[in-house]
Amino acid sequence: MFRTKAGLPMLWVLMPFLLSLNFGACQLVLATVPPRPNVLFIVTDDMNNDLGCYGNPRVHSPNIDELAKRGMQFDRAYCQVTVCNPSRVSMLSGLRPDKTQVYTLTEETRSHLGDWVMLPEYFRKQGYFTAQIGKIYHTDDGFEDPRSWDVEIREFGKRPPEEEIIAGADPDGPGEHTNDWSVLKTPDEETPDGIVARKAVEIMEDAVNREEPFFLGVGFRRPHAPFAAPKEYFDMYPPDTIDLPPSVPDGYYENLPEAAINYPAPEKPLSEKEQRELIAAYYACNTFVDAQVGVLIDAVDRLGIADNTVIVFLSDHGYHLGDHGGFWHKMSLFEESDRVPLIIYAPGMKAAGQSTEQLVELIDLYPTLVALTGLSERENLDGINLTEVLNNPEEPTKPAAFTVVSRSENPAADHAKNMDYLGRSVRTDRWRYTEWDGGKRGIELYDHQNDPRELKNLADDPKLADTRSQLKNLLKSSHSLRKTP
């Protein structure tokens, strides 16, 4: 069973082996050296917080929910960039985007990082067996990082074969982003993500048999579009049972900077039927990913390594599903795009089964995993060590979380591939403050205490001038350009 004995230390248990010899009053005490903790690092693509444990009762996610009960759920975790490649580079380097200088899908992982030691590579250098199965870094040469891994099985099968598709649609959505969904007749174990989960289990079994500590990066493609999953998951979400997001106030877009809109709207708005189908398909993919996470957790249980394996579950960024009056996909600086699911389980943690409201960022994972496994502290990282929060969910972390996103001068261009300027956002306990192009293209200010959906831009409210000034200084102090390592 996936349980931890009461009273275990934070990292692992030192189990003394006592051998008593009758040499008068002498005793010889021999102590076994504890094995180094393993790391199971699970990354999903484009998954928002629409999960049961995060408060969406409509979404079936029993395995992720169970992991949250065993570990700690971070209710306010934020990515550093709201698109895949730069988010992953920041997270895996432990550095803010101002240091990685990777903001789009076209900038390669080490374009400005040189020989910087990435998270899995650091474990490899410390004697860990490291393996990538699926999407951990972004895909293709120049974006992957072979030096991080002993075994590298890259992402494959982005689109399902036509002969496996039972039903589907491809509505004309915003921008150039894909909006298609597909119901598959493929069984789980024959889908790309199903293969990734089962191959990861094989590699885990081999490492356990070799008694070799491992760092396994297991990356699932879904729920990234196209929303493709086996039929049984779609059956859980009949579109006519799906609720649409609440409407926005009249005049909402008139008080919103143009740069804040992530993708140009389609000439013909999505119908309510198309919206429900898209949301249902997305939910189906979340549940499909949950089942693959279950395959991994079951293997940890079966192999009896739960008391010596740190497990992390996260997404690279959030996702819009028609909120804010018609936002879809990512690439914004709103809560739905910036906030991510994050769960950490560590053997012996004192706050197992609890959640925390403390602000955390994905760059915090690097120093946290180094600390949880007892490795030498890694210098010059931008994140913080979260181990104390795992023992006490009230333990203070940081005053704010920061997220950036790129923008192109041409609204019809793909912002994810072309950058002419940046949007920068700071999220504190109460406020979100955002500047576009240093404020030249607009400012946003939202009060989460009274407006959790971020629908009323208070940037021009004279009564909040002091608040705006404080947040501006906070944003500037943390996101000023710094030299790369």
Side-chain angles (χ1 to χ4, degrees), residues 47-56 74-77 282 286 318-319 335-336 338-342:
M47 181 179 281
N48 63 17
N49 292 79
D50 281 320
L51 298 166
C53 57
Y54 277 96
N56 188 330
F74 290 81
D75 288 334
R76 293 198 292 185
Y282 185 88
N286 275 6
Y319 208 78
E335 191 83 353
E336 291 85 356
D338 300 7
R339 181 172 169 243
V340 298
L342 174 63

Side-chain angles (χ1 to χ4, degrees), residues 50-70:
D50 281 320
L51 298 166
C53 57
Y54 277 96
N56 188 330
R58 186 67 185 85
V59 177
H60 301 274
S61 52
N63 297 291
I64 297 171
D65 297 351
E66 177 62 21
L67 182 61
K69 292 177 183 177
R70 302 173 178 187

Side-chain angles (χ1 to χ4, degrees), residues 68-316:
K69 292 177 183 177
R70 302 173 178 187
M72 174 168 284
Q73 173 180 306
F74 290 81
D75 288 334
R76 293 198 292 185
Y78 295 89
C79 67
Q80 274 48 78
V81 194
T82 55
V83 68
C84 303
N85 177 48
S87 174
R88 291 165 186 258
V89 173
S90 175
M91 169 181 67
L92 293 167
S93 67
L95 302 174
R96 296 195 182 278
D98 290 334
K99 284 187 179 178
T100 69
Q101 292 290 287
V102 175
Y103 297 105
T104 70
L105 297 178
T106 58
E107 294 157 310
E108 296 184 352
T109 296
R110 292 186 176 275
S111 56
H112 294 85
L113 287 176
D115 286 330
W116 180 258
V117 178
M118 308 294 269
L119 170 61
E121 183 185 11
Y122 189 67
F123 275 79
R124 190 181 186 194
K125 286 179 175 290
Q126 305 302 313
Y128 272 70
F129 167 73
T130 63
Q132 168 184 311
I133 312 99
K135 185 177 180 181
I136 300 298
Y137 292 91
H138 205 55
T139 312
D140 295 328
D141 291 339
F143 299 91
E144 302 280 7
D145 195 51
R147 56 189 269 181
S148 287
W149 312 107
D150 293 299
V151 172
E152 185 184 28
I153 302 174
R154 297 182 179 182
E155 177 193 13
F156 60 95
K158 293 182 180 181
R159 288 193 166 273
E162 290 293 331
E163 61 271 18
E164 293 295 314
I165 298 175
I166 300 172
D170 188 7
D172 183 18
E176 299 178 359
H177 204 289
T178 51
N179 250 346
D180 52 322
W181 53 269
S182 299
V183 182
L184 307 179
K185 62 182 179 181
T186 321
D188 278 28
E189 62 271 17
E190 295 179 15
T191 64
D193 281 343
I195 292 170
V196 162
R198 287 152 184 82
K199 186 62 179 178
V201 170
E202 292 178 13
I203 293 173
M204 190 188 308
E205 290 171 340
D206 289 343
V208 171
N209 289 335
R210 295 194 307 270
E211 298 184 347
E212 189 173 16
F214 63 74
F215 182 109
L216 297 189
V218 185
F220 296 120
R221 171 74 176 179
R222 303 298 174 238
H224 192 291
F227 307 137
K231 181 177 182 297
E232 65 178 285
Y233 301 104
F234 277 83
D235 289 345
M236 297 179 184
Y237 304 102
D240 58 3
T241 67
I242 299 297
D243 293 329
L244 295 179
S247 60
V248 297
D250 292 339
Y252 170 69
Y253 280 94
E254 297 173 5
N255 201 31
L256 196 64
E258 183 179 347
I261 301 172
N262 55 354
Y263 293 99
E267 291 184 8
K268 179 184 177 183
L270 293 169
S271 68
E272 288 193 2
K273 177 178 180 294
E274 289 173 327
Q275 293 180 59
R276 288 191 170 90
E277 288 175 342
L278 282 171
I279 296 172
Y282 185 88
Y283 287 175
C285 288
N286 275 6
T287 300
F288 166 65
V289 169
D290 176 82
Q292 311 322 305
V293 171
V295 171
L296 300 174
I297 303 304
D298 287 348
V300 171
D301 289 347
R302 174 173 53 81
L303 294 170
I305 57 173
D307 283 344
N308 199 48
T309 300
V310 177
I311 303 175
V312 179
F313 172 84
L314 66 116
S315 175
D316 52 2

